[in-house]
């Protein structure tokens, strides 16, 4: 199943990041550029670094100048994330380009890559909730509450994985079809953001 394949790669990325646990560490992709695994690994690495950017920026004692620099990094990371999702969808468009779409085929509310994006974020939630559920310095009550949340996340992983695999199977069978809209983000665009345009 593709979801199992993707989740394994996401966990590889998360584990590799946490060896140094540093948002400024260098990135190395272990997969060849012509493989979908390369895109999946890169996608999750972006998500993982951004997860920790979001932790850092919530420090109530953060220096305002540092917070602004970090906000710019988060904006750039969001753009990278969107770009990677679109690359992954391009992979699927190529993979299924010869599929004969059946009469009455329907479209999904989200593309395969955006569903896989949610699976990548879910891998991070599972990893960090597992950490909290097993923290040696946490109270028993804290760990029990986190275990309950972890159980829910694992159930969500099962359901989302099933949905991803079913969507891909339906597209391959021609009972659903892909229609991808490029993300038209306005806040980064010099012409579309009125503040940037004013400058």
């Amino acid at each position: 199943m593709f979801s199992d394949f993707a989740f394994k790669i996401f966990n590889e990325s998360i584990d590799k990041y946490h060896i140094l646990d540093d948002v400024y560490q260098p990135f190395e992709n272990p997969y060849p550029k012509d493989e979908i695994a390369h895109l999946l690994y890169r996608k999750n690495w972006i998500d993982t670094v951004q997860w920790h950017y979001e932790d850092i920026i919530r420090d109530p004692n953060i220096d305002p100048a540092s917070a602004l620099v970090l906000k710019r990094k988060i904006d750039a990371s969001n753009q990278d994330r969107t770009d990677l999702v679109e690359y992954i969808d391009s992979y699927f468009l190529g993979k299924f380009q010869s599929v004969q779409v059946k009469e009455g085929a329907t479209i999904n509310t989200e593309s395969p890559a955006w569903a896989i994006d949610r699976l990548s974020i879910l891998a991070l939630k599972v990893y960090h909730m597992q950490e909290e559920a097993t923290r040696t310095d946490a109270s028993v009550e804290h760990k029990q509450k986190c275990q309950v949340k972890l159980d829910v996340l694992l159930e969500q992983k099962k359901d989302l994985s099933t949905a991803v695999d079913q969507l891909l199977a339906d597209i391959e069978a021609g009972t659903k079809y892909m229609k991808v809209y490029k993300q038209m983000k306005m806040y980064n665009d010099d012409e579309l953001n009125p503040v940037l345009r004013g400058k």
Side-chain angles (χ1 to χ4, degrees):
M1 294 287 107
F2 188 88
S3 65
D4 290 340
F5 169 73
F7 209 84
K8 174 179 175 291
I9 291 170
F10 297 155
N11 280 330
E12 287 174 10
S13 163
I14 293 167
D15 289 342
K16 176 66 174 177
Y17 173 88
H18 284 96
I19 292 172
L20 297 179
D21 201 4
D22 178 3
V23 293
Y24 300 109
Q25 65 181 289
F27 170 69
E28 291 182 9
N29 197 319
Y31 292 99
K33 288 186 176 181
D34 60 347
E35 293 183 9
I36 183 61
H38 183 93
L39 295 177
L40 295 172
Y41 191 92
R42 175 66 179 148
K43 170 69 179 66
N44 181 267
W45 188 272
I46 291 169
D47 295 337
T48 303
V49 171
Q50 184 163 337
W51 178 285
H52 293 86
Y53 281 160
E54 298 283 3
D55 281 347
I56 295 166
I57 206 166
R58 282 167 175 76
D59 180 352
N61 299 313
I62 192 170
D63 171 66
S66 299
L68 182 58
V69 169
L70 194 51
K71 176 65 171 75
R72 299 284 187 256
K73 289 182 180 297
I74 290 169
D75 284 348
S77 179
N78 275 323
Q79 188 62 60
D80 287 345
R81 171 181 170 239
T82 299
D83 291 345
L84 256 294
V85 169
E86 291 180 354
Y87 288 139
I88 294 168
D89 265 336
S90 294
Y91 163 82
F92 286 117
L93 284 169
K95 179 179 175 65
F96 298 127
Q97 64 183 342
S98 62
V99 170
Q100 185 68 40
V101 177
K102 295 179 180 177
E103 186 177 350
T106 58
I107 194 167
N108 207 53
T109 57
E110 62 186 352
S111 69
W114 280 111
I116 290 162
D117 168 76
R118 292 199 292 131
L119 196 62
S120 174
I121 302 300
L122 188 58
L124 281 160
K125 290 180 180 180
V126 168
Y127 178 91
H128 287 99
M129 196 61 71
Q130 177 72 51
E131 272 192 329
E132 290 298 316
T134 56
R135 255 180 54 204
T136 55
D137 63 336
S139 68
V140 172
E141 182 184 11
H142 174 85
K143 290 189 282 189
Q144 287 175 342
K145 286 181 178 178
C146 289
Q147 183 61 53
V148 170
K149 292 177 181 179
L150 178 60
D151 292 343
V152 173
L153 289 171
L154 291 173
E155 183 71 14
Q156 188 178 0
K157 172 188 177 280
K158 178 182 173 184
D159 291 342
L160 182 55
S161 296
T162 299
V164 166
D165 292 333
Q166 186 61 62
L167 175 59
L168 293 174
D170 288 346
I171 294 170
E172 189 170 20
T175 57
K176 283 189 180 290
Y177 63 94
M178 284 184 66
K179 190 173 183 181
V180 175
Y181 293 94
K182 297 290 185 181
Q183 295 299 303
M184 299 179 193
K185 291 192 179 291
M186 301 177 73
Y187 58 80
N188 289 333
D189 193 307
D190 293 346
E191 295 299 321
L192 298 177
N193 181 321
V195 174
L196 297 178
R197 187 171 63 243
K199 293 180 180 179

